[in-house]
Short mmCIF file of all heavy atoms in Angstrom, two decimals:
data_model
loop_
_atom_site.label_atom_id
_atom_site.label_comp_id
_atom_site.label_asym_id
_atom_site.label_seq_id
_atom_site.Cartn_x
_atom_site.Cartn_y
_atom_site.Cartn_z
N ARG H 87 28.80 127.75 -16.71
CA ARG H 87 29.02 128.58 -17.90
C ARG H 87 29.38 127.71 -19.09
O ARG H 87 28.93 127.96 -20.20
CB ARG H 87 30.14 129.55 -17.60
CG ARG H 87 29.78 130.93 -18.03
CD ARG H 87 30.70 131.92 -17.51
NE ARG H 87 31.05 132.80 -18.62
CZ ARG H 87 31.88 133.81 -18.53
NH1 ARG H 87 32.48 134.04 -17.40
NH2 ARG H 87 32.12 134.56 -19.57
N MET H 91 27.21 127.49 -22.49
CA MET H 91 27.77 128.07 -23.69
C MET H 91 28.53 127.09 -24.55
O MET H 91 28.93 127.44 -25.65
CB MET H 91 28.73 129.22 -23.31
CG MET H 91 28.01 130.38 -22.72
SD MET H 91 26.97 131.16 -23.95
CE MET H 91 26.20 132.42 -23.01
N ARG H 93 31.56 125.12 -26.22
CA ARG H 93 32.97 125.44 -26.39
C ARG H 93 33.19 126.84 -26.95
O ARG H 93 34.28 127.14 -27.41
CB ARG H 93 33.59 124.41 -27.34
CG ARG H 93 33.83 123.08 -26.67
CD ARG H 93 34.66 122.22 -27.54
NE ARG H 93 33.99 122.00 -28.82
CZ ARG H 93 34.19 120.95 -29.57
NH1 ARG H 93 35.02 120.03 -29.18
NH2 ARG H 93 33.56 120.81 -30.72
N TYR H 94 32.18 127.67 -26.89
CA TYR H 94 32.34 129.04 -27.38
C TYR H 94 33.40 129.74 -26.55
O TYR H 94 33.41 129.63 -25.34
CB TYR H 94 30.99 129.76 -27.25
CG TYR H 94 30.78 130.85 -28.25
CD1 TYR H 94 30.43 130.54 -29.56
CD2 TYR H 94 30.94 132.18 -27.91
CE1 TYR H 94 30.24 131.54 -30.49
CE2 TYR H 94 30.75 133.18 -28.84
CZ TYR H 94 30.39 132.85 -30.13
OH TYR H 94 30.21 133.83 -31.05
N PRO H 95 34.31 130.47 -27.20
CA PRO H 95 35.40 131.10 -26.43
C PRO H 95 34.85 132.02 -25.36
O PRO H 95 33.94 132.81 -25.61
CB PRO H 95 36.16 131.90 -27.50
CG PRO H 95 35.63 131.52 -28.79
CD PRO H 95 34.40 130.71 -28.63
N SER H 96 35.41 131.93 -24.16
CA SER H 96 34.80 132.65 -23.04
C SER H 96 34.90 134.14 -23.17
O SER H 96 34.08 134.88 -22.64
CB SER H 96 35.41 132.20 -21.70
OG SER H 96 36.78 132.04 -21.85
N ALA H 97 35.89 134.63 -23.95
CA ALA H 97 35.98 136.08 -24.11
C ALA H 97 34.83 136.62 -24.95
O ALA H 97 34.50 137.80 -24.88
CB ALA H 97 37.31 136.43 -24.78
N GLU H 98 34.22 135.74 -25.76
CA GLU H 98 33.17 136.21 -26.66
C GLU H 98 31.79 135.85 -26.17
O GLU H 98 30.83 135.88 -26.94
CB GLU H 98 33.37 135.58 -28.05
CG GLU H 98 34.80 135.61 -28.55
CD GLU H 98 35.19 136.98 -29.04
OE1 GLU H 98 34.28 137.79 -29.31
OE2 GLU H 98 36.39 137.24 -29.16
N HIS H 99 31.66 135.47 -24.90
CA HIS H 99 30.35 135.06 -24.41
C HIS H 99 29.33 136.17 -24.52
O HIS H 99 28.14 135.91 -24.72
CB HIS H 99 30.45 134.58 -22.95
CG HIS H 99 30.89 133.17 -22.82
ND1 HIS H 99 31.00 132.53 -21.61
CD2 HIS H 99 31.25 132.26 -23.74
CE1 HIS H 99 31.41 131.29 -21.80
NE2 HIS H 99 31.57 131.11 -23.09
N TRP H 100 29.78 137.42 -24.43
CA TRP H 100 28.82 138.52 -24.52
C TRP H 100 28.13 138.52 -25.87
O TRP H 100 26.95 138.85 -25.99
CB TRP H 100 29.52 139.85 -24.27
CG TRP H 100 30.59 140.19 -25.24
CD1 TRP H 100 31.91 139.86 -25.17
CD2 TRP H 100 30.43 140.92 -26.46
NE1 TRP H 100 32.59 140.33 -26.25
CE2 TRP H 100 31.70 140.99 -27.07
CE3 TRP H 100 29.34 141.52 -27.11
CZ2 TRP H 100 31.92 141.64 -28.28
CZ3 TRP H 100 29.57 142.16 -28.32
CH2 TRP H 100 30.83 142.21 -28.89
N ARG H 101 28.89 138.10 -26.90
CA ARG H 101 28.29 138.04 -28.23
C ARG H 101 27.21 136.98 -28.29
O ARG H 101 26.15 137.17 -28.88
CB ARG H 101 29.36 137.71 -29.27
CG ARG H 101 30.13 138.90 -29.70
CD ARG H 101 31.35 138.53 -30.47
NE ARG H 101 31.08 137.60 -31.54
CZ ARG H 101 32.04 137.04 -32.25
NH1 ARG H 101 33.30 137.33 -31.98
NH2 ARG H 101 31.75 136.19 -33.22
N ALA H 102 27.48 135.84 -27.63
CA ALA H 102 26.48 134.78 -27.65
C ALA H 102 25.20 135.24 -26.94
O ALA H 102 24.09 134.96 -27.40
CB ALA H 102 27.04 133.52 -26.99
N LEU H 148 34.53 141.85 -35.35
CA LEU H 148 34.38 140.74 -34.42
C LEU H 148 35.22 139.57 -34.91
O LEU H 148 35.29 139.31 -36.11
CB LEU H 148 32.91 140.30 -34.37
CG LEU H 148 31.92 141.37 -33.90
CD1 LEU H 148 30.51 140.92 -34.18
CD2 LEU H 148 32.09 141.62 -32.42
N SER H 149 35.83 138.85 -33.97
CA SER H 149 36.66 137.72 -34.39
C SER H 149 35.77 136.56 -34.82
O SER H 149 34.66 136.41 -34.35
CB SER H 149 37.55 137.28 -33.22
OG SER H 149 36.74 136.76 -32.20
N VAL H 151 34.29 132.97 -35.12
CA VAL H 151 34.17 131.75 -34.31
C VAL H 151 33.55 130.67 -35.18
O VAL H 151 32.38 130.78 -35.54
CB VAL H 151 33.27 132.00 -33.07
CG1 VAL H 151 33.16 130.74 -32.25
CG2 VAL H 151 33.82 133.13 -32.24
#
Side-chain angles (χ1 to χ4, degrees):
Chain H
R87 227 168 133 181
M91 292 293 177
R93 284 191 300 206
Y94 208 78
S96 41
E98 315 283 342
H99 277 182
W100 61 271
R101 278 167 50 187
L148 299 167
S149 66
V151 180

